[in-house]
Amino acid sequence: MSQGCSSVPCFLDYCEKMQGEHDLVPGDYVKYLVWEKVPGEPLTEEFFWSLDPLVREDIRAKFHVAFEEMLRCGVKPQESRISKIIYDQSTDNVRISGFRRGWPIRDKLEWSDTRYIAYMLA
């Protein structure tokens, strides 16, 4: 949010609390993160590959732009899955989610077309 990145959902808030005796790890801490619900649905392989080739190419191009914007903001998701791409069919907008295991980028990371393979877009 501080970088003004429009390619990812906005982080809204978080809560940290100690787990009770009936929780998964009693006496340990748990964190809850709240993200903006963006319009659209997570992509699936079945849906993506059922689309017209020109629509698939448009999604790839928008994913490329979104991913590069995210990299410029200094963060990337740890897990590469097609379900991390949120596609709004009504606007053709593409966003990237899934920062459960996201990490700050320490080294210069650049776009590579192999990202299409990692996200099942090729």
Side-chain angles (χ1 to χ4, degrees):
M1 283 177 53
S2 65
Q3 300 287 325
C5 186
S6 64
S7 298
V8 300
C10 289
F11 174 72
L12 301 175
D13 206 352
Y14 79 98
C15 172
E16 182 177 310
K17 69 177 198 168
M18 188 171 287
Q19 296 185 53
E21 67 179 80
H22 299 293
D23 290 324
L24 188 60
V25 184
D28 204 354
Y29 288 92
V30 62
K31 289 183 182 179
Y32 299 96
L33 306 175
V34 181
W35 297 88
E36 167 190 32
K37 170 72 172 129
V38 295
E41 296 296 325
L43 282 180
T44 65
E45 287 182 66
E46 297 77 20
F47 176 74
F48 178 75
W49 290 103
S50 72
L51 296 170
D52 180 89
L54 293 175
V55 174
R56 291 196 309 261
E57 191 55 39
D58 186 55
I59 290 172
R60 285 185 196 103
K62 289 179 178 170
F63 170 74
H64 180 168
V65 170
F67 201 92
E68 282 195 326
E69 179 187 19
M70 182 184 60
L71 292 179
R72 281 192 301 277
C73 292
V75 177
K76 76 173 193 76
Q78 181 68 19
E79 299 175 4
S80 302
R81 289 191 233 157
I82 196 167
S83 63
K84 303 301 180 190
I85 302 169
I86 309 300
Y87 175 59
D88 185 358
Q89 233 176 330
S90 65
T91 63
D92 291 326
N93 194 18
V94 170
R95 288 196 171 160
I96 301 169
S97 71
F99 292 89
R100 179 177 180 193
R101 292 185 179 152
W103 300 100
I105 298 171
R106 300 200 192 290
D107 299 322
K108 184 169 175 64
L109 189 60
E110 295 181 1
W111 171 260
S112 166
D113 285 347
T114 59
R115 300 251 181 244
Y116 294 133
I117 297 167
Y119 280 87
M120 308 302 284
L121 299 176

